[in-house]
């Protein structure tokens, strides 16, 4: 039976440290502040934004929710972002995705000041990550790295397999693992013989978004560390990319869904808010 990587517990401990730091800033009269912009009434987005807001308040971070209606124009949204960029009391800015179809997300993400970009999605931050000089790194990949490190296993020299190549998770997590001197393979929907990569992997990060994509039929190294980033529904039940029950006895460490990567993402958002505060502007 694998050791279960308890994301809830690791997130709790990390949040305690974040809160201590926040309180120190508050004593100095600095109130760490995050602005979250939500456009429209996408239910999932509303729920994510509320969770972010709640976590910030629990940890004494000032969270400002800016809710704009579905008909907001690209120009109006840019104007709002520029106002937040210029506000010295706001340290981090996050524009919740997806945006309504009439707004070009790429244009919007480029308008957020790179120094306040707590998502790490601005091309400057993406570029800094790829040259190994990043300050603001996307939250989910940061959380994943933290979970891998929590095992105490050495990453350097290991075969890391990232399954999925999204800009939000797959590509940045691959870059982070490369910086940790892992030998990184990125697999995706066109990869042939995925089984062969799984068999040779010491670390597997699955972010394909397909329920139970990785099954007990796959062959794993018994020493493997599995991080499941999946957030899928199967028969109305939240499940990961990994068939947890049938894989857990075949590997050394595995993160569950729920209770693995999920709690780490918002934790890293709060950490990034402090990082943004500390960046010399
Ligand atoms: N929508 C789903 N995940 C995310 C995220 O990490 N950041 C933003 N801005 N929007 C999202």
């Amino acid at each position: 039976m694998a050791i279960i990587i308890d994301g809830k517990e690791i997130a709790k401990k990390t949040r305690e440290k974040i809160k201590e730091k926040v309180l120190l800033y508050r004593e100095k009269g600095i109130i760490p502040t995050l602005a979250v912009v939500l456009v429209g009434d996408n239910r999932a987005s509303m729920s994510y934004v509320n969770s972010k807001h709640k976590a910030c308040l629990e940890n004494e971070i000032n969270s400002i929710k800016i809710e704009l209606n579905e008909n907001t124009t690209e120009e109006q949204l840019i104007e709002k972002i520029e106002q937040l960029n210029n506000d010295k009391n706001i340290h981090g800015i996050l524009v919740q995705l997806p945006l309504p179809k009439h707004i070009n997300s790429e244009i919007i993400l480029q308008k957020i000041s790179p120094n306040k970009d707590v998502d790490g999605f601005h091309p400057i931050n993406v570029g800094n990550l790829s040259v190994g000089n990043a300050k603001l790194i996307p939250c989910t990949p940061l959380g994943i790295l933290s979970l891998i490190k929590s095992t105490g296993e050495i990453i350097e020299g290991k075969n890391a397999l990232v399954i999925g190549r999204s800009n939000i998770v797959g590509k940045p997590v691959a870059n982070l693992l490369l910086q940790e001197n892992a030998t990184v393979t990125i697999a995706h929907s066109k990869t042939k013989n995925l089984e062969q990569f799984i068999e040779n992997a010491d670390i597997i990060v699955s972010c394909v978004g397909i329920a139970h994509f990785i099954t007990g039929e796959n062959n794993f190294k018994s020493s493997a560390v599995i991080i499941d980033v999946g957030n899928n529904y199967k028969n109305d039940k939240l499940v990961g990319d990994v068939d947890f029950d049938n894989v857990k006895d075949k590997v050394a460490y595995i993160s569950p869904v729920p209770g693995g990567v999920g709690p780490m993402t918002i934790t890293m958002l709060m950490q990034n808010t402090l990082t943004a505060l500390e960046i010399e502007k």
Side-chain angles (χ1 to χ4, degrees):
M1 168 78 189
I3 294 174
I4 312 298
I5 302 175
D6 187 346
K8 256 185 167 168
E9 190 55 32
I10 297 164
K12 185 167 162 255
K13 292 213 172 93
T14 313
R15 287 179 193 204
E16 281 164 11
K17 287 191 196 133
I18 290 170
K19 189 170 177 178
E20 273 172 31
K21 256 184 140 177
V22 172
L23 292 175
L24 284 177
Y25 276 115
R26 281 184 172 261
E27 274 174 25
K28 289 192 241 168
I30 300 165
I31 302 171
T33 299
L34 171 69
V36 178
V37 182
L38 174 65
V39 186
D41 42 21
N42 178 309
R43 286 190 72 81
S45 291
M46 283 160 87
S47 159
Y48 288 138
V49 166
N50 286 336
S51 303
K52 290 169 184 176
H53 184 67
K54 185 166 160 265
C56 283
L57 298 185
E58 280 168 5
N59 293 283
E60 303 288 339
I61 293 175
N62 183 29
S63 163
I64 299 173
K65 242 195 298 183
I66 298 152
E67 291 170 293
L68 303 174
N69 73 45
E70 182 81 21
N71 301 324
T72 303
T73 64
E74 200 169 284
E75 292 71 29
Q76 285 168 328
L77 180 55
I78 291 171
E79 204 176 302
K80 187 75 215 168
I81 291 169
E82 281 170 355
Q83 196 185 320
L84 297 169
N85 283 342
N86 294 326
D87 187 336
K88 287 197 168 53
N89 294 320
I90 291 185
H91 306 103
I93 303 170
L94 179 149
V95 176
Q96 186 67 26
L97 302 175
L99 287 166
K101 285 200 175 68
H102 64 277
I103 299 179
N104 183 328
S105 308
E106 272 177 43
I107 291 176
I108 294 303
L109 294 177
Q110 290 186 31
K111 293 292 176 188
I112 299 172
S113 160
N115 288 341
K116 295 190 178 188
D117 169 35
V118 285
D119 263 326
F121 293 166
H122 191 289
I124 287 187
N125 288 322
V126 174
N128 280 338
L129 176 60
S130 81
V131 295
N133 189 25
K135 294 190 184 84
L136 288 165
I137 296 168
C139 303
T140 301
L142 267 185
I144 293 167
L145 187 64
S146 181
L147 291 184
I148 296 171
K149 287 188 171 174
S150 77
T151 65
E153 295 292 320
I154 291 162
I155 299 175
E156 183 164 304
K158 296 285 171 62
N159 291 337
L161 172 64
V162 177
I163 312 177
R165 55 174 158 177
S166 70
N167 291 334
I168 294 182
V169 186
K171 286 179 199 163
V173 86
N175 263 322
L176 281 178
L177 288 163
L178 191 58
Q179 270 169 41
E180 297 289 332
N181 295 321
T183 303
V184 182
T185 303
I186 306 177
H188 46 77
S189 56
K190 303 283 189 289
T191 298
K192 295 202 167 77
N193 299 324
L194 180 65
E195 298 78 18
Q196 155 201 326
F197 293 106
I198 292 177
E199 272 173 32
N200 286 311
D202 299 298
I203 299 164
I204 300 175
V205 176
S206 182
C207 44
V208 279
I210 301 172
H212 294 177
F213 180 75
I214 294 176
T215 70
E217 306 277 292
N218 289 111
N219 290 316
F220 304 92
K221 282 194 175 187
S222 58
S223 57
V225 177
I226 313 258
I227 306 291
D228 188 351
V229 194
N231 207 5
N232 319 298
Y233 281 87
K234 191 173 184 182
N235 306 325
D236 285 336
K237 195 175 155 232
L238 176 63
V239 297
D241 290 351
V242 181
D243 182 355
F244 182 88
D245 289 338
N246 290 311
V247 172
K248 69 181 189 317
D249 293 327
K250 301 186 156 194
V251 297
Y253 298 90
I254 186 165
S255 74
V257 176
V261 174
M264 292 302 288
T265 296
I266 294 182
T267 306
M268 293 300 138
L269 173 63
M270 294 189 285
Q271 185 163 296
N272 273 352
T273 303
L274 289 182
T275 304
L277 188 160
E278 285 156 10
I279 291 173
E280 260 183 66
K281 299 239 159 68

